[in-house]
Amino acid sequence: MTAFLFLILLLLAVVFAEVLTRLIKKLNRDLVLLHPFRSHQKRDEELKPFQNYLNLFANSLMIAMGREDIFYELNEKALKLEKEGKNIIRLNIGEPDYRVDKSIIKAAIKRLNEGNVKYGSAAGEYYLREKIACMLNTDTQDIVITPGSKFAIYSIMKNLLNKGDRIMVFAPCWPTYKLIAGDLGIKVCKLEMNEKWDIDTAILNEHMNNIKMIVVINPNNPTSSVLSNKRVREIVEIATDYNAWVLYDVAYADLAFQPVKKIVEDNVLLVDSFSKSFSLSGWRVGYVACNRDICKRLIKFNQITISCVPEFIQRAVFTGLEHKDKIVKKARKVYKERAVFAYRYLKRHVKVCMPCSGFYIFPHIGMDSVKLAFNLLEKGIAIAPGIVFGEKYNEYVRISLVRDLEVLKDSMSVMIDTINKTKSETI
Amino acid sequence: MTAFLFLILLLLAVVFAEVLTRLIKKLNRDLVLLHPFRSHQKRDEELKPFQNYLNLFANSLMIAMGREDIFYELNEKALKLEKEGKNIIRLNIGEPDYRVDKSIIKAAIKRLNEGNVKYGSAAGEYYLREKIACMLNTDTQDIVITPGSKFAIYSIMKNLLNKGDRIMVFAPCWPTYKLIAGDLGIKVCKLEMNEKWDIDTAILNEHMNNIKMIVVINPNNPTSSVLSNKRVREIVEIATDYNAWVLYDVAYADLAFQPVKKIVEDNVLLVDSFSKSFSLSGWRVGYVACNRDICKRLIKFNQITISCVPEFIQRAVFTGLEHKDKIVKKARKVYKERAVFAYRYLKRHVKVCMPCSGFYIFPHIGMDSVKLAFNLLEKGIAIAPGIVFGEKYNEYVRISLVRDLEVLKDSMSVMIDTINKTKSETI
């Protein structure tokens, strides 16, 4: 009997010792977390065992970005109506109406006529990379040509981030980032911009734990707002503090009504496109500028996916860059005229910020934007409902300023009438 | 004392019981494996806990495919020599010397002059998909246009396979498959082709465990051998038995000297390119034909990466397809003439098979191909060393038949001289 009791006591002691050991181990690691003098990288490593707890906690920050499916649904419907012979004013997509400069087309045609367009460099043609590098005041090796900036974004996220990593975007935000991240198993956190579409860097700083990349779209899509160079600098510094990348998407920078600096730094990945500034949307050409070690990885990815961007397209862009000031100045003038016109018209009826860049206006319409968008489509006008850019923006719409003033005026007039009618019906 | 002994005995009993329980559990699962009537899918699921053991076992089959880095190293050196002003006969890459048909260039130029090349469909333009579908006797929805067949291969592997999955390739094999698989964490198993570059399907059948996809390149790169339609059918049936995909790469099919059937079936993913048949290597355009549910996934991948293939390129290809018979017949004739010539010349000196398709010849040179390749490069001739296509093929070289007979003759003559000289030196 004594032996039996002794045995039970011993077993209990063993179990107790085991539990105690585990608790101490855990506690030890917890204490490490509170140590203020460790580097972020080291802390990250030590945090790994707790990733699951932290994940649960961080989910409150996670993005339910929006309903980008509605964007495609609406676009498909617009295309269907067009096929049925109906005339649709397409203000829903970011497609320039502006004709491509003749010099660009001529350069492409010249190369095609020469007839020997062969496999090119996976990095992009040297002359084009050199030209871009010169404009950005960096080295040719820091440039990689891609088939559009979207491919550049995909390549960067694929090659620099791992499944489960977190990126920070500022809402409202172009939905493609969420789609690409989703495909790669990358988690998207968001920070809402304030009502002037600016970013509160103090709040950003508070939410940087575990963030591996900050996405900055400047000028922004859909708001056409511009961040000051000072604000961009602050964001880059916060990223540096937290060992994070900045993906700096400047696809609209050349159409901004104030200077937007294109920066290339060690932890900054500059992504640019010729789709908007040169109206080359369907040609698929853009670039990344970043440190050359990262470039090498992006070039390898080009090698095993696209091989190269067609050389005649690169030749055309090169020619465009030689006339860049003239081409871009002209485009900016047209877009500014439209932006001012749209802003003046809309502000009499709804809450709206003056765009600081070409392309979009993002008014607050005070009603369900999905309902309005489908309603307007029946009347031959396509716009993008705000919910596409973030769940909080369902009472906004994005209007692409890609038609003449007359057409824009008529479209906005129909929109305002529809809004007023719907509102009065609801009352 | 008795109590102490009793305690020790009890502890031993507990440990023994635990070990026994675990063994029985494992045995139970092992027995399941031997059950002959279960479906492959079910068996796969049951195999999962043993993946690690099986991985160890299967590693003997794993491919140390080759040294594709040498291919790039050699190519870079060739480019460097060219830049220094040296004339290099580039028989190392699969770049047609054949001029693009005028109708193709004219069609592209016409669209460019119309000046409104906009974002196109992510699936590819309907008219081109319809045309291809018609040629393959399938539906338009089964076709997706991609920027080259390489992108198609990447997209298929990315979207249909998971990290750790295994694919089967037949060696010697175009090294890009290994590079793409490596990027996606997919494991590559190989089966050596026999000396007539044919596949022993009985051996294939024995090695299909855990294989998720069989890659069939027909005509093959680098051997330019062609699998009979019967053999392809057998491979598709084996794949069907094992619930595996067949990636059927027919980039050279239009240049084959005997008919190669392009098949579209439920578990077959047909990948084709216009780089070789239309000499459009630098234009980046190809397609996938497969069941429409898979197409939808590939289209979504296009949406978040490339957006679309430039419409003027698709228009050019469409025009090419309208004159396909004429264009391809002409190209085939030129390549056949070169293949016959090269074969007759080489077989007097080395072991070589007659190519069954345009583009490459793959002789056995009986010496270190890397040494030969760098040696020849000094003499102004670039060829691809065999090790690039598999570790067993270091005594082979791939010669691209992309120059006139005269140039080919001179190059082969220099090559044979160099081989003989090196061999006599070694003796």
Side-chain angles (χ1 to χ4, degrees):
Chain A
M1 191 62 197
T2 321
F4 191 66
L5 269 176
F6 179 73
L7 175 75
I8 289 179
L9 275 174
L10 200 107
L11 272 175
L12 280 174
V14 166
V15 169
F16 182 71
E18 174 69 19
V19 169
L20 203 69
T21 316
R22 288 191 186 192
L23 263 175
I24 287 170
K25 270 190 198 163
K26 186 180 179 308
L27 207 65
N28 252 340
R29 282 182 291 186
D30 275 343
L31 287 174
V32 161
L33 294 185
L34 302 173
H35 200 300
F37 301 113
R38 290 172 182 265
S39 77
H40 290 297
Q41 211 154 16
K42 203 156 184 190
R43 202 187 57 186
D44 275 1
E45 271 164 35
E46 287 158 354
L47 274 169
K48 265 181 196 160
F50 297 96
Q51 209 64 51
N52 285 335
Y53 305 99
L54 288 168
N55 280 355
L56 277 173
F57 177 69
N59 273 341
S60 57
L61 250 182
M62 293 303 289
I63 209 161
M65 269 275 294
R67 294 280 315 279
E68 63 287 334
D69 52 325
I70 290 178
F71 183 81
Y72 289 110
E73 198 187 314
L74 194 121
N75 200 44
E76 286 302 317
K77 202 173 170 190
L79 288 168
K80 199 171 158 248
L81 288 169
E82 274 179 343
K83 259 187 195 155
E84 287 167 8
K86 207 170 167 185
N87 182 33
I88 305 288
I89 301 163
R90 301 278 295 278
L91 309 178
N92 59 326
I93 49 172
E95 179 85 83
D97 62 327
Y98 210 78
R99 276 185 83 86
V100 179
D101 194 78
K102 273 182 189 156
S103 66
I104 294 175
I105 293 176
K106 247 168 99 177
I109 290 175
K110 184 166 176 281
R111 278 298 289 130
L112 282 173
N113 273 326
E114 285 163 21
N116 57 343
V117 179
K118 308 217 160 181
Y119 286 121
S121 158
E125 295 304 312
Y126 195 85
Y127 59 79
L128 179 58
R129 294 166 69 208
E130 197 179 30
K131 182 96 186 164
I132 293 168
C134 181
M135 286 178 159
L136 297 173
N137 202 14
T138 184
D139 283 345
T140 307
Q141 288 142 291
D142 301 341
I143 309 294
V144 182
I145 309 298
T146 58
S149 63
K150 210 193 255 176
F151 190 85
I153 294 163
Y154 188 91
S155 182
I156 285 170
M157 289 207 191
K158 161 81 176 66
N159 290 293
L160 297 189
L161 301 176
N162 293 312
K163 209 171 166 172
D165 280 353
R166 286 159 197 282
I167 62 169
M168 176 68 81
V169 304
F170 304 115
C173 177
W174 185 40
T176 297
Y177 279 97
K178 190 194 165 196
L179 293 170
I180 292 177
D183 181 78
L184 294 168
I186 290 161
K187 293 176 178 170
V188 182
C189 299
K190 71 158 181 237
L191 189 68
E192 304 289 341
M193 290 194 268
N194 67 21
E195 61 179 9
K196 283 179 179 168
W197 308 127
D198 197 2
I199 290 153
D200 189 325
T201 43
I203 298 179
L204 172 65
N205 200 35
E206 279 168 24
H207 291 90
M208 279 298 293
N209 267 337
N210 273 320
I211 297 292
K212 295 272 188 286
M213 181 181 280
I214 306 175
V215 173
V216 183
I217 313 176
N218 193 32
N220 186 254
N221 172 3
T223 61
S224 281
S225 55
V226 166
L227 295 174
S228 67
N229 291 332
K230 182 173 160 274
R231 187 73 73 239
V232 174
R233 170 62 35 215
E234 283 168 14
I235 295 170
V236 171
E237 272 162 23
I238 289 173
T240 310
D241 283 350
Y242 284 85
N243 248 326
W245 300 101
V246 174
L247 196 164
Y248 191 35
D249 180 340
V250 293
Y252 300 90
D254 289 328
L255 300 177
F257 310 147
Q258 67 196 74
V260 171
K261 201 169 167 352
K262 298 181 182 178
I263 51 172
V264 187
E265 281 176 37
D266 254 5
N267 65 331
V268 177
L269 306 135
L270 184 87
V271 168
D272 201 357
S273 162
F274 300 103
S275 296
K276 316 296 173 178
S277 49
F278 286 175
S279 289
L280 292 179
S281 56
W283 295 47
R284 313 313 304 131
V285 55
Y287 69 88
V288 182
C290 61
N291 89 56
R292 66 200 60 181
D293 291 328
I294 304 303
C295 278
K296 279 180 196 158
R297 291 162 71 178
L298 303 181
I299 292 167
K300 282 207 167 159
F301 190 67
N302 274 1
Q303 260 171 13
I304 60 165
T305 52
I306 54 144
S307 290
C308 61
V309 172
E311 197 269 335
F312 56 91
I313 291 177
Q314 296 186 61
R315 178 63 68 177
V317 166
F318 177 83
T319 308
L321 287 175
E322 290 198 315
H323 306 101
K324 188 187 161 195
D325 286 345
K326 187 195 78 183
I327 296 171
V328 166
K329 202 175 161 189
K330 209 167 138 189
R332 209 158 38 209
K333 191 176 161 237
V334 172
Y335 287 121
K336 187 161 186 182
E337 202 180 32
R338 291 174 184 175
V340 169
F341 177 79
Y343 170 69
R344 285 191 184 149
Y345 185 92
L346 287 171
K347 78 168 180 179
R348 286 188 280 136
H349 307 280
V350 292
K351 212 179 97 193
V352 63
C353 286
M354 170 66 196
C356 301
S357 159
F359 243 79
Y360 305 115
I361 194 161
F362 195 62
H364 180 270
I365 51 152
M367 67 170 284
D368 177 7
S369 63
V370 178
K371 195 175 165 187
L372 176 67
F374 279 95
N375 209 327
L376 279 181
L377 192 55
E378 297 295 323
K379 295 170 183 165
I381 300 159
I383 54 170
I387 202 164
V388 163
F389 308 98
E391 55 184 349
K392 284 201 174 171
Y393 304 95
N394 191 33
E395 297 207 340
Y396 290 79
V397 291
R398 188 190 76 176
I399 304 170
S400 302
L401 302 171
V402 291
R403 286 293 180 280
D404 291 339
L405 294 187
E406 207 57 43
V407 180
L408 284 179
K409 190 186 165 186
D410 291 348
S411 306
M412 288 190 297
S413 161
V414 173
M415 184 182 89
I416 295 296
D417 283 353
T418 312
I419 292 170
N420 289 338
K421 213 181 143 204
T422 316
K423 278 184 184 167
S424 68
E425 272 169 13
T426 321
I427 295 160
Chain B
M1 189 66 198
T2 322
F4 190 67
L5 271 175
F6 179 74
L7 175 75
I8 288 178
L9 275 174
L10 200 105
L11 273 175
L12 280 174
V14 167
V15 169
F16 182 71
E18 175 68 19
V19 169
L20 204 71
T21 316
R22 288 191 187 191
L23 263 176
I24 288 170
K25 271 189 196 161
K26 187 181 178 310
L27 207 66
N28 253 340
R29 283 182 290 186
D30 274 343
L31 287 174
V32 162
L33 293 185
L34 302 172
H35 200 298
F37 302 113
R38 291 173 182 262
S39 76
H40 291 295
Q41 212 155 16
K42 204 156 183 188
R43 202 187 54 186
D44 275 0
E45 270 164 36
E46 285 157 356
L47 275 169
K48 265 181 196 162
F50 297 96
Q51 210 64 50
N52 285 335
Y53 305 99
L54 289 168
N55 281 356
L56 276 174
F57 177 70
N59 272 341
S60 58
L61 249 183
M62 292 302 289
I63 210 164
M65 268 274 295
R67 294 281 313 278
E68 62 288 334
D69 52 327
I70 290 178
F71 183 81
Y72 289 111
E73 198 187 313
L74 194 120
N75 200 44
E76 287 301 319
K77 202 174 170 189
L79 288 168
K80 197 171 160 250
L81 288 169
E82 274 180 343
K83 259 187 196 157
E84 287 167 10
K86 209 172 165 183
N87 181 34
I88 305 288
I89 301 163
R90 299 279 296 278
L91 309 178
N92 58 327
I93 48 171
E95 178 86 82
D97 62 328
Y98 210 78
R99 277 186 80 87
V100 179
D101 194 78
K102 273 182 190 154
S103 66
I104 294 176
I105 293 177
K106 246 169 99 177
I109 290 176
K110 184 166 176 280
R111 277 299 289 129
L112 282 173
N113 272 326
E114 284 165 21
N116 56 344
V117 179
K118 308 217 161 181
Y119 287 121
S121 158
E125 294 305 312
Y126 195 85
Y127 59 79
L128 180 57
R129 295 166 68 208
E130 196 178 31
K131 182 97 186 164
I132 294 168
C134 181
M135 286 176 159
L136 298 174
N137 203 14
T138 186
D139 285 343
T140 308
Q141 289 141 292
D142 301 341
I143 310 294
V144 182
I145 310 298
T146 56
S149 63
K150 210 192 255 175
F151 191 85
I153 295 163
Y154 188 92
S155 181
I156 285 170
M157 289 206 192
K158 161 81 176 67
N159 289 294
L160 298 189
L161 301 176
N162 293 312
K163 209 171 167 171
D165 280 353
R166 285 160 198 281
I167 62 170
M168 177 67 81
V169 304
F170 304 117
C173 177
W174 185 41
T176 297
Y177 280 97
K178 190 196 165 196
L179 293 171
I180 291 177
D183 181 78
L184 295 167
I186 290 161
K187 293 176 179 170
V188 182
C189 299
K190 70 161 180 237
L191 189 67
E192 304 290 340
M193 290 195 267
N194 66 23
E195 61 179 9
K196 284 179 178 166
W197 307 128
D198 197 2
I199 290 154
D200 188 325
T201 43
I203 299 179
L204 173 64
N205 200 33
E206 279 167 24
H207 292 89
M208 278 299 294
N209 267 338
N210 273 322
I211 297 292
K212 295 273 188 284
M213 181 181 281
I214 306 175
V215 173
V216 183
I217 312 176
N218 192 31
N220 184 254
N221 172 3
T223 62
S224 281
S225 56
V226 167
L227 295 174
S228 67
N229 291 332
K230 181 173 160 274
R231 187 73 73 239
V232 175
R233 171 61 36 215
E234 283 168 15
I235 295 170
V236 171
E237 272 161 23
I238 289 172
T240 310
D241 283 350
Y242 284 84
N243 250 325
W245 300 102
V246 175
L247 195 164
Y248 191 34
D249 180 341
V250 293
Y252 300 90
D254 289 328
L255 300 178
F257 309 146
Q258 67 197 70
V260 172
K261 200 167 166 354
K262 297 181 182 179
I263 51 173
V264 187
E265 281 176 37
D266 255 4
N267 65 332
V268 177
L269 306 136
L270 184 87
V271 169
D272 202 356
S273 161
F274 301 103
S275 296
K276 316 296 174 178
S277 50
F278 287 175
S279 290
L280 292 178
S281 56
W283 294 47
R284 313 313 305 132
V285 55
Y287 68 88
V288 183
C290 61
N291 90 55
R292 64 200 62 181
D293 291 328
I294 304 303
C295 278
K296 279 180 196 157
R297 291 162 71 178
L298 304 181
I299 293 166
K300 283 209 166 156
F301 190 66
N302 274 0
Q303 259 170 15
I304 59 164
T305 50
I306 54 143
S307 290
C308 60
V309 171
E311 197 268 335
F312 56 91
I313 291 177
Q314 296 186 59
R315 177 64 68 178
V317 166
F318 177 83
T319 308
L321 287 176
E322 290 198 316
H323 305 101
K324 188 187 162 195
D325 286 345
K326 189 196 76 184
I327 297 171
V328 165
K329 202 175 160 190
K330 209 167 138 190
R332 210 158 35 210
K333 192 175 161 240
V334 172
Y335 287 121
K336 187 162 186 181
E337 203 178 32
R338 292 174 184 175
V340 169
F341 177 79
Y343 170 70
R344 284 189 184 151
Y345 185 91
L346 288 171
K347 77 167 181 181
R348 286 187 281 136
H349 307 278
V350 292
K351 213 180 95 192
V352 63
C353 285
M354 169 64 197
C356 302
S357 158
F359 242 79
Y360 305 115
I361 194 159
F362 195 62
H364 180 269
I365 50 151
M367 68 170 283
D368 177 7
S369 62
V370 178
K371 196 175 165 187
L372 176 67
F374 279 95
N375 209 326
L376 280 181
L377 192 55
E378 298 294 323
K379 295 170 182 164
I381 300 158
I383 54 170
I387 203 164
V388 163
F389 309 100
E391 55 185 348
K392 283 201 175 172
Y393 304 96
N394 191 32
E395 297 207 340
Y396 290 79
V397 292
R398 188 190 76 175
I399 304 171
S400 302
L401 302 170
V402 292
R403 286 294 179 279
D404 291 338
L405 294 187
E406 206 57 42
V407 180
L408 285 178
K409 190 185 166 187
D410 292 347
S411 306
M412 288 189 297
S413 162
V414 173
M415 183 181 89
I416 295 296
D417 285 352
T418 312
I419 292 170
N420 290 337
K421 213 181 143 206
T422 318
K423 278 183 183 167
S424 68
E425 271 170 13
T426 322
I427 295 160

